[in-house]
Amino acid sequence: MAVIVDRDDDGERLVRELQRLRCDVQHEWPMPSQIPAQYDVVFCVLSPDLPQRLPWIPGEPASALVVIDPGAGLLDLNLLHNCAAHGVLHYPATARSVQSTLALARGHFLYERRLRGRIEKLDESLRTMRSVERAKSLLMRLKNVSEEEAYNYLRRQAMERRVTIGAVASAIIDSYELLG
């Protein structure tokens, strides 16, 4: 766990509370030019340039991000939105607020990661379906067969070669485009 806060009383209290929760805490200050991504959770003070310091693309975080609001002035909700934080911890932090923010942020991060994985699988399935449909239409036109026969041909080729139907479909499309 990375904690990127000033070593004042509030920062020390946060580090001690995380250590009490048996977290392996790495404290960094001053704030690095790029927020480290190798941690499970990053606690970082909210600063105007925080979105530019994040090493990941918004929507694809490498770590759960908890931003810390030092409580000085109004909270910039637009800045908070641009950081795509999984949690917000307001100073002065209490044991309960640290524990609940940590649990919710980590849970939200893991849920998001599972959803991104499902989306990637669905995108791949959609690409495969499009390839299979295009290969079927090529086979129907070139071999003068029905849609069912074209699909059975793709399936049979995939089984014989022990590859997916999508791989066979892609090979047929690629060879057709190559031969023109």
Side-chain angles (χ1 to χ4, degrees), residues 40-64:
D40 292 330
V41 181
V42 175
F43 282 81
C44 186
V45 67
L46 185 61
S47 66
D49 63 341
L50 183 57
Q52 289 77 33
R53 292 177 185 249
L54 296 173
W56 51 78
I57 299 168
E60 297 181 19
S63 304

Side-chain angles (χ1 to χ4, degrees), residues 18 21 25 28 41 43 47 53 56 60 64-66 80 115 124 131 152 163 166:
L18 289 169
L21 294 171
V25 178
E28 291 191 35
V41 181
F43 282 81
S47 66
R53 292 177 185 249
W56 51 78
E60 297 181 19
L65 176 65
V66 176
L80 191 62
L115 287 179
E124 182 59 33
S131 293
N152 287 335
V163 296

Side-chain angles (χ1 to χ4, degrees), residues 62-76:
S63 304
L65 176 65
V66 176
V67 296
I68 299 168
D69 172 29
L74 293 175
L75 181 60
D76 185 352

Side-chain angles (χ1 to χ4, degrees), residues 154-171:
L154 288 172
R155 203 168 132 235
R156 193 171 47 255
Q157 293 299 314
M159 289 174 71
E160 286 175 8
R161 289 173 174 68
R162 295 184 182 182
V163 296
T164 65
I165 291 179
V168 172
S170 293

Side-chain angles (χ1 to χ4, degrees), residues 91-107:
Y91 277 166
T94 64
R96 290 180 84 143
S97 66
V98 171
Q99 189 176 10
S100 61
T101 301
L102 175 61
L104 288 172
R106 185 71 177 143

Side-chain angles (χ1 to χ4, degrees), residues 86 104-118:
H86 298 97
L104 288 172
R106 185 71 177 143
H108 180 70
F109 170 75
L110 293 173
Y111 176 71
E112 239 180 49
R113 188 163 55 182
R114 283 192 308 272
L115 287 179
R116 278 193 308 279
R118 288 179 65 191

